[in-house]
Amino acid sequence: MTSGYLSAFEPPMRLALDQAALARDGEDVPVGAVVLDGAGTVVGAGHNRREADHDPTAHAEIVAIRQAAVARSSWRLDGHTLVVTLEPCTMCAGAAINARLDRLVYGAADPRAGAAGSLWDVLRDRRISPRVEVIGGVLEAESAALLREFFARRR
């Protein structure tokens, strides 16, 4: 991946970081996500809301995908890109596949629960269709710093 290609995703990743900051201001882990249509327009946005909503499925990715599906009046998000500050877990990777997203862009890798190449590679598993293009490491340092700061305050 060339750095120019990665830098094309920096503006939407900054929007995802803004979403993550909203979670940080509460009790939720600061993860943010946006869904872009084929033209690059944000059609869904979200941040972790598990604590706020008392909902174990309220991960940033799920919140953003749900919002995009409502905006599109369809659960099929072909041609769309999910941009998230932290590598998705297996639930969120499965949601990306089921929503038929074309691409996932993430910031920080998650060696403890990541399902886009770190611990598992659900999105590129040849047995699963459709496969989702995965691009990692966009604004990785900024994404990881939000998480480090959050967990340092909790200790």
Side-chain angles (χ1 to χ4, degrees):
M1 207 68 49
T2 66
S3 63
Y5 187 65
L6 290 177
S7 66
F9 293 107
E10 287 183 10
M13 185 61 76
R14 292 206 183 281
L15 296 174
L17 285 163
D18 290 344
Q19 285 292 317
L22 296 173
R24 179 192 62 205
D25 294 340
E27 293 296 314
D28 280 291
V29 176
V31 177
V34 296
V35 176
L36 310 173
D37 67 11
T41 302
V42 174
V43 295
H47 56 277
N48 273 357
R49 297 194 49 85
R50 291 185 311 168
E51 298 295 335
D53 293 352
H54 310 291
D55 178 355
T57 68
H59 290 202
E61 300 94 325
I62 302 296
V63 173
I65 289 169
R66 286 178 178 157
Q67 192 177 94
V70 168
R72 290 294 179 230
S73 298
S74 177
W75 60 267
R76 291 177 183 89
L77 298 175
D78 304 87
H80 289 67
T81 299
L82 173 64
V83 180
V84 61
T85 58
L86 180 65
E87 179 184 1
C89 68
T90 54
M91 176 183 67
C92 295
I97 292 165
N98 284 302
R100 309 256 195 288
L101 290 164
D102 282 5
R103 180 181 303 112
L104 165 79
V105 177
Y106 70 87
D110 185 354
R112 298 181 71 204
S118 291
L119 188 57
W120 297 285
D121 202 351
V122 173
L123 296 168
R124 292 177 285 208
D125 189 315
R126 293 178 195 267
R127 298 166 293 180
I128 297 174
S129 182
R131 270 180 271 172
V132 178
E133 177 186 8
V134 176
I135 300 166
V138 176
L139 298 181
E140 182 175 12
E142 291 92 331
S143 297
L146 267 179
L147 294 164
R148 274 193 309 277
E149 291 165 10
F150 174 80
F151 287 110
R153 282 194 311 270
R154 292 186 67 112
R155 290 187 186 113

